[in-house]
Amino acid sequence: MTAAEIRDSFLSFFRDKGHTTVPSASLMPTSPNLLFTNAGMNQFVPYFLGTQKAPYDPPRAADTQKCIRAGGKHNDLEDVGLDTYHHTFFEMLGNWSFGDYFKKDAINWAWELVVETWGFPPNRLYATVYAPGDGDPAEFDQEAYDHWKALFLKAGLDPEIHIVNGNVKDNFWMMGDTGPCGPCSELHVDLTPEGDTNGALVNKDDARCIEIWNLVFIQFNAEPDGSYRDLPAKHVDTGMGFERACAIIQGTKNFTDFSTLPSNYDTDVFTPLFQKLEQLSGQKYTRTLPSPSIEHRASSIEHRASSIEHPESSIQKDIAFRVIADHIRTLSFSIADGILPGNTDRNYVLRRILRRAVRYGRNLGLGTDGTNFLPQLVPVLVEEMAAAFPELKQHQDRITETLDTEESAFNKTLDRGIKLFNAAAEKVSGAFEPETAFELYDTYGFPTDLTALMAAERGLTLDLAAVESHMEQQRERARAAHTSETVTALDFDTDVTTTFTGYDTDSSPTTIHDILDRDGNTYAIIDTSPFYVEMGGQVGDIGSLTVGDESFNVTNVSSVGAATILQLSAMPSAWTGQPREATVALDTSRRRDIEKHHTATHILHWALHEIVSPDATQQGSYVGPDRLRFDFSSKALTKEQLQAVEKLANEKIKANDPVSWSEQPYDSVKGNENIMQFFGDKYGDTVRVVQIGGAEGSLDGWSMELCAGTHVRQTGDIEQIVIKKEEAIAAGIRRIEAVCGSHAQAYLDEAKAGLEKEIHQLANKLTALNAQLSAADAPTQRAPDAPDPGDTSSALTAYRDALKKLTVDADKSLKKIQTANLAQQADAQIDALIANAAGDPPVIIEALENADGNLLGEFINALKKKQFKGVAILAAAEEASGKVHLGIAVHPDLTSQFKAGDLMQKLAPIVGGRGGGKPDFARGAGSDPTQIDALLEAARNSF
């Protein structure tokens, strides 16, 4: 069977047993404690915990789960390539029962699939069951033993030989120190030539007898007191290594030839990638392994490398084949799931994996000519696996572009680092100097793990602890040189819990529980506070604290435990050491500006998804009173894309949609594709969803994010957003800086002044040049040896080209300025219009003076921003063109009585025009300004 047939056979088998085939979960884990999804059960944890009901009927499922084990508790990265079965990326086949069937069916079906469907020889199979030692939880798993016993007896085999007891380490599974747990039962396969070891190699970490399937029976709950109680519902959680199953079936030629040990890499899971690598490198994969590879697998990089004759050996080349083939799978699947190489957490692990692949590519001669090889492997992987994992095809361009960018960037570092390493390595024997390894990293950016690998290949050791010591000393020097006003590492503890009121109020009464003097600074511990403590990119608040007759500036806020700590400008003279009532208040102007920039960040994120790609995901942010910074994964944006993002964001701001937030159980929103959430963050049981648009708490907004920050109440409060610049900050990571509200207007005013100055300077230069040209063209008598006045035509062309470009840029900037000025003009007059509105509901019927269609549009926007709960009919005659512009706005609550579109169709013909729109908004135009009074009179008669 091919790998695809084995995968399909597994899923079809359990589909016939009533299981729902479930797609693989993303490699981006839902658990904040994981770097990557590393087991099949990750996506089903809520069903096991009972916090959610399994949505399948019957409640059983089967899947193949993408997994990565590279970093954290489960890390196979350093073993990849050195044996036949370790991988950073692998598939885990599994069948699941959520309170449905239990041990009997799970065991019988495992036997039926493996023996009767796939044809595994029963005499080579060994089952393990849980047998506790002293002090271990639960009892001997007699039930599982009895089921296995019946199957082995039916096959004519001795259960005493083919059922092996396992201890708590091998055969008892726990989700954590407390929580669901239970015994497990594994299937092991004897791969020795004769298959006659009688179970002696089971659980001995021997490649000649390997586990292929683990059946976990979740039946207990581990209590905090160390006891184990029965769960009300019992579950089955199984996992079969897909690559191992393929290796055994294909490597033994359907169980007919056990003369050589099967290898995961000798299957059609990997051979297409090897064939492409052979084509690219001109090398051949010869299946050699470092020695020893079976009886004892060395654990240290130095020991393993000592068995390699030299970097040019066939063994080293074969290791490179296996590493690259493994790593391209990890990289491609991760990037498809939105995990990109970067500098922190899982993103850095991915970057390390990519750099290891590039480094091993050099052993095959790849990348030395400036041609990137990783992107060339992607089509092969897509061709082989997209049928099972369509996300590979869907995101193929992103995968290719990301790999190409990262490989190019690292090749420059690699070339320089290898040259420096080789020069240093020639001068030493036995050990590579930690100081040099640190210098390679600190000065030249060369990864220390690659230095260790290259040293090992030369038979040199490297004291990694000494390298880390140098790094820590460098960090200490950096910390000592860094000054900040942020309060950190305060040397006191407190059990005060502060209630945050800053979402709804700007000031509040509070109790001061303590005031402390530390290093000349004064800190107050309070129990109620509107001050936001810096978190998630949003800066902290400042303000004031009033106690008695004294008032103090709050210059910074921090936290210790659950308490908010205020840094005060001075020590209150009335402080006696006893709790005192006080009042705290925000710097409201600063807070409003922060809220504008934070909500604008959400809108910007949404607009990037709409204009650029849903893959343009947040990688970091800064939200302050004067600006915002937003980092996101993407290739460079075109000028047109950037303009479209800004335009769309401002349209949403002008729409004046409501901004609301609600507390939601995390389990009910995690994994919701419509709610942006960042799984690297550690969310509690309850999360705060900030939504723009829709009804509060209904989770139907057009933008929704998990966010603890503070926000405006209506998008119109932001006024406007201006993108100042967009630039690269790392491979595949872009940064936008923008300003909102008055800061945006100040930026535009400054830009306008600078532009006008530049135009004035250029005009002066052109005037001078024209004078020079006139003088050159005038008939003059010149002596035969007098110098030529020079060819000024090229200079004039350059000036004209510069003026043309400047004019284009000026038009763009002036349009921004004009729009902002129109908005300010409308805002300045709108209150008077609303105050003069008459009737119930209130109606505004006005002809705007000195207005055009753009200004009329800003008046409509201003009415929305003010949430005018009436009907407005506005007309504006444009003197220059004689055109009449019309706008009608009806509050949504009134559209059952008055429809803007119907009113427009009735009124526009009066001024020789037409128009239309929705029930709440309509625009129109006419050609006869002399009839505006008649139009206004007809409008008044409509109410």
Side-chain angles (χ1 to χ4, degrees):
M1 288 191 291
T2 66
E5 289 170 343
I6 292 170
R7 184 191 296 112
D8 290 343
S9 172
F10 180 92
L11 297 175
S12 295
F13 177 88
F14 283 102
R15 194 179 302 118
D16 292 342
K17 303 295 184 185
H19 292 63
T20 298
T21 301
V22 178
S24 171
S26 168
L27 286 167
M28 179 74 82
T30 55
S31 169
N33 300 317
L34 294 177
L35 282 173
F36 303 96
T37 298
N38 62 8
M41 59 86 62
N42 291 162
Q43 67 170 313
F44 301 121
V45 168
Y47 311 150
F48 294 140
L49 293 176
T51 57
Q52 292 183 28
K53 183 180 179 182
Y56 320 118
D57 185 18
R60 55 181 73 167
D63 71 343
T64 179
Q65 173 62 52
K66 302 174 292 188
C67 298
I68 289 180
R69 291 186 180 174
K73 179 180 177 182
H74 299 288
N75 185 2
D76 292 337
L77 179 59
E78 301 298 341
D79 292 313
V80 171
L82 300 171
D83 57 29
T84 63
Y85 53 90
H86 274 97
H87 306 291
T88 55
F89 173 90
F90 61 94
E91 290 182 58
M92 186 67 78
L93 300 171
N95 59 288
W96 316 83
S97 168
F98 310 107
D100 188 18
Y101 63 84
F102 202 44
K103 294 179 184 178
K104 180 180 179 180
D105 288 332
I107 291 171
N108 286 340
W109 289 339
W111 183 273
E112 181 182 346
L113 175 66
V114 169
V115 175
E116 299 175 18
T117 301
W118 285 350
F120 275 66
N123 65 297
R124 289 180 175 271
L125 294 178
Y126 295 87
T128 62
V129 298
Y130 175 61
D134 291 340
D136 289 342
E139 301 174 347
F140 176 72
D141 193 351
Q142 187 66 49
E143 183 181 356
Y145 179 89
D146 291 342
H147 293 311
W148 285 119
K149 178 180 177 180
L151 292 168
F152 282 112
L153 284 173
K154 185 178 179 180
L157 299 169
D158 185 354
E160 294 300 318
I161 294 176
H162 285 270
I163 302 177
V164 179
N165 292 343
N167 58 21
V168 69
K169 172 180 174 291
D170 293 319
N171 283 89
F172 196 88
W173 175 87
M174 299 186 70
M175 186 177 291
D177 293 335
T178 60
C181 58
C184 61
S185 202
E186 301 169 344
L187 264 181
H188 295 248
V189 185
D190 184 341
L191 298 173
T192 61
E194 302 301 328
D196 57 357
T197 59
N198 292 326
L201 301 181
V202 172
N203 281 334
K204 294 298 189 292
D205 194 24
D206 193 308
R208 294 171 296 173
C209 184
I210 63 173
E211 169 211 333
I212 63 161
W213 205 347
N214 187 9
L215 287 68
V216 178
F217 308 121
I218 304 174
Q219 63 187 94
F220 304 117
N221 193 75
E223 301 293 330
D225 62 2
S227 63
Y228 293 82
R229 63 173 175 82
D230 288 338
L231 288 171
K234 295 177 171 59
H235 314 288
V236 172
D237 160 5
T238 80
M240 174 188 287
F242 170 68
E243 290 79 5
R244 289 189 180 186
C246 293
I248 295 170
I249 295 172
Q250 296 180 15
T252 63
K253 301 176 183 177
N254 286 329
F255 317 108
T256 63
D257 183 358
F258 288 87
S259 60
T260 59
L261 276 177
S263 167
N264 293 6
Y265 292 97
D266 294 342
T267 66
D268 62 343
V269 175
F270 291 96
T271 50
L273 292 169
F274 288 165
Q275 290 167 359
K276 184 64 176 180
L277 283 171
E278 288 177 340
Q279 176 191 335
L280 293 173
S281 67
Q283 308 285 342
K284 287 293 183 182
Y285 179 62
T286 57
R287 298 176 173 81
T288 58
L289 290 167
S291 178
S293 61
I294 299 174
E295 290 79 13
H296 175 69
R297 197 162 42 82
S299 60
S300 69
I301 193 169
E302 294 86 355
H303 191 173
R304 289 193 297 248
S306 70
S307 66
I308 301 170
E309 296 174 8
H310 48 81
E312 291 75 29
S313 69
S314 61
I315 294 176
Q316 189 66 16
K317 290 177 182 177
D318 285 348
I319 290 174
F321 270 97
R322 290 188 289 269
V323 168
I324 295 168
D326 170 86
H327 287 7
I328 191 64
R329 284 157 43 95
T330 303
L331 293 164
S332 298
F333 276 96
S334 296
I335 295 168
D337 282 347
I339 309 171
L340 302 183
N343 292 325
T344 57
D345 300 326
R346 64 179 62 88
N347 308 91
Y348 181 66
V349 173
L350 206 61
R351 178 164 282 167
R352 278 190 64 203
I353 291 171
L354 184 143
R355 290 176 169 182
R356 291 182 90 251
V358 175
R359 164 67 181 82
Y360 273 102
R362 295 297 178 95
N363 289 354
L364 301 179
L366 296 170
T368 56
D369 62 352
T371 301
N372 295 334
F373 69 93
L374 290 177
Q376 299 182 67
L377 299 175
V378 176
V380 179
L381 186 66
V382 172
E383 176 68 23
E384 294 299 320
M385 302 194 72
F389 301 99
E391 62 270 24
L392 285 176
K393 184 67 175 177
Q394 180 183 354
H395 299 294
Q396 184 173 352
D397 290 345
R398 177 172 69 179
I399 297 168
T400 302
E401 291 171 5
T402 301
L403 293 176
D404 192 47
T405 300
E406 286 281 331
E407 187 174 348
S408 294
F410 182 57
N411 269 324
K412 297 175 183 177
T413 298
L414 189 59
D415 288 334
R416 179 175 54 189
I418 289 175
K419 182 178 180 181
L420 293 169
F421 170 85
N422 287 336
E426 291 293 336
K427 301 176 183 178
V428 299
S429 61
F432 192 81
E433 294 181 355
E435 295 82 358
T436 306
F438 169 70
E439 182 182 0
L440 283 170
Y441 170 79
D442 187 55
T443 305
Y444 302 103
F446 196 73
T448 301
D449 58 335
L450 290 187
T451 301
L453 179 64
M454 292 165 61
E457 290 171 352
R458 283 177 169 261
L460 302 174
T461 61
L462 176 62
D463 187 344
L464 293 175
V467 179
E468 176 59 30
S469 177
H470 284 291
M471 291 183 176
E472 182 56 34
Q473 291 174 26
Q474 176 75 324
R475 286 190 284 266
E476 287 293 338
R477 289 191 293 270
R479 284 191 285 265
H482 179 70
T483 58
S484 173
E485 296 181 358
T486 303
V487 180
T488 59
L490 297 177
D491 60 342
F492 54 84
D493 296 320
T494 177
D495 58 2
V496 172
T497 295
T498 304
T499 300
F500 178 67
T501 62
Y503 292 137
D504 304 308
T505 64
D506 294 333
S507 63
S508 64
T510 191
T511 300
I512 304 174
H513 287 262
D514 206 351
I515 295 182
L516 302 155
D517 191 322
R518 292 292 187 273
D519 299 324
N521 295 316
T522 301
Y523 303 105
I525 304 174
I526 60 175
D527 62 9
T528 306
S529 168
F531 293 98
Y532 187 85
V533 180
E534 182 171 345
M535 181 176 62
Q538 179 176 329
V539 301
D541 288 318
I542 60 175
S544 64
L545 177 145
T546 301
V547 52
D549 296 330
E550 297 180 302
S551 186
F552 303 91
N553 291 332
V554 174
T555 58
N556 210 330
V557 294
S558 185
S559 61
V560 171
T564 296
I565 314 299
L566 308 184
Q567 184 171 346
L568 304 181
S569 55
M571 173 71 77
S573 60
W575 179 250
T576 63
Q578 298 300 314
R580 286 287 305 274
E581 299 304 310
T583 300
V584 283
L586 297 173
D587 179 334
T588 55
S589 176
R590 183 175 183 273
R591 166 64 88 80
R592 295 292 91 81
D593 281 344
I594 292 172
E595 291 172 346
K596 291 175 184 178
H597 285 101
H598 200 155
T599 308
T601 302
H602 287 218
I603 296 175
L604 189 61
H605 196 182
W606 172 84
L608 284 166
H609 280 206
E610 294 292 311
I611 300 297
V612 181
S613 167
D615 299 328
T617 52
Q618 180 174 339
Q619 301 294 317
S621 67
Y622 167 85
V623 176
D626 59 338
R627 62 190 173 95
L628 69 86
R629 186 185 71 226
F630 187 78
D631 302 340
F632 58 100
S633 53
S634 174
K635 61 183 180 181
L637 272 58
T638 65
K639 182 164 62 175
E640 291 74 21
Q641 283 178 317
L642 198 62
Q643 291 171 350
V645 167
E646 184 182 81
K647 181 175 182 291
L648 181 59
N650 277 307
E651 287 174 355
K652 287 298 186 180
I653 289 170
K654 290 178 180 178
N656 202 34
D657 285 334
V659 181
S660 61
W661 42 86
S662 59
E663 302 294 328
Q664 302 286 343
Y666 178 52
D667 285 336
S668 70
V669 301
K670 69 179 178 181
N672 186 326
E673 295 180 355
N674 296 317
I675 301 176
M676 297 183 197
Q677 46 197 290
F678 311 101
F679 296 112
D681 294 343
K682 294 184 178 180
Y683 298 120
D685 294 336
T686 302
V687 292
R688 184 168 177 264
V689 181
V690 175
Q691 72 175 60
I692 307 176
E696 182 176 352
S698 62
L699 302 185
D700 60 349
W702 50 263
S703 167
M704 294 185 290
E705 294 193 29
L706 300 190
C707 180
T710 62
H711 294 271
V712 300
R713 271 56 176 177
Q714 300 283 143
T715 60
D717 296 341
I718 301 170
E719 301 173 48
Q720 63 179 323
I721 181 172
V722 174
I723 296 176
K724 295 174 64 175
K725 62 180 178 179
E726 186 267 349
E727 60 187 354
I729 60 169
I733 305 296
R734 310 294 298 180
R735 169 173 292 173
I736 282 178
E737 290 193 10
V739 284
C740 299
S742 61
H743 297 281
Q745 187 58 51
Y747 174 77
L748 291 174
D749 289 345
E750 183 180 349
K752 178 183 177 182
L755 192 61
E756 290 173 343
K757 180 179 179 181
E758 196 171 343
I759 291 173
H760 179 70
Q761 290 173 342
L762 186 58
N764 289 339
K765 289 180 181 179
L766 288 172
T767 299
L769 183 60
N770 283 327
Q772 183 181 352
L773 287 170
S774 297
D777 289 339
T780 58
Q781 298 295 323
R782 182 165 57 90
D785 57 349
D788 190 287
D791 180 11
T792 56
S793 61
S794 60
L796 179 60
T797 299
Y799 277 127
R800 285 172 176 162
D801 288 345
L803 180 60
K804 182 178 180 181
K805 178 181 182 303
L806 193 60
T807 302
V808 172
D809 292 340
D811 285 344
K812 283 172 47 184
S813 297
L814 287 173
K815 284 179 182 177
K816 286 185 180 180
I817 295 165
Q818 289 164 356
T819 299
N821 288 340
L822 290 174
Q824 285 184 324
Q825 187 177 341
D827 287 343
Q829 300 179 44
I830 201 66
D831 288 337
L833 284 180
I834 293 174
N836 292 328
D840 184 18
V843 178
I844 297 172
I845 299 174
E846 290 286 342
L848 303 176
E849 296 182 1
N850 301 320
D852 59 9
N854 292 327
L855 181 56
L856 185 143
E858 291 301 329
F859 269 91
I860 296 294
N861 289 334
L863 286 168
K864 290 183 179 180
K865 191 188 303 182
K866 293 289 186 177
Q867 300 183 56
F868 174 61
K869 295 185 177 180
V871 179
I873 301 175
L874 302 178
E878 195 172 341
E879 293 182 6
S881 64
K883 189 174 183 179
V884 179
H885 300 279
L886 304 173
I888 301 176
V890 178
H891 191 272
D893 292 347
L894 301 174
T895 54
S896 61
Q897 299 173 256
F898 310 102
K899 290 181 170 52
D902 293 348
L903 287 170
M904 181 62 69
Q905 291 178 7
K906 172 185 174 183
L907 298 174
I910 297 174
V911 290
R914 60 183 180 179
K918 300 177 181 179
D920 62 337
F921 174 69
R923 288 292 297 264
S927 57
D928 189 355
T930 63
Q931 295 301 310
I932 285 182
D933 288 341
L935 180 146
L936 298 179
E937 184 63 26
R940 295 186 188 98
N941 293 333
S942 299
F943 297 92

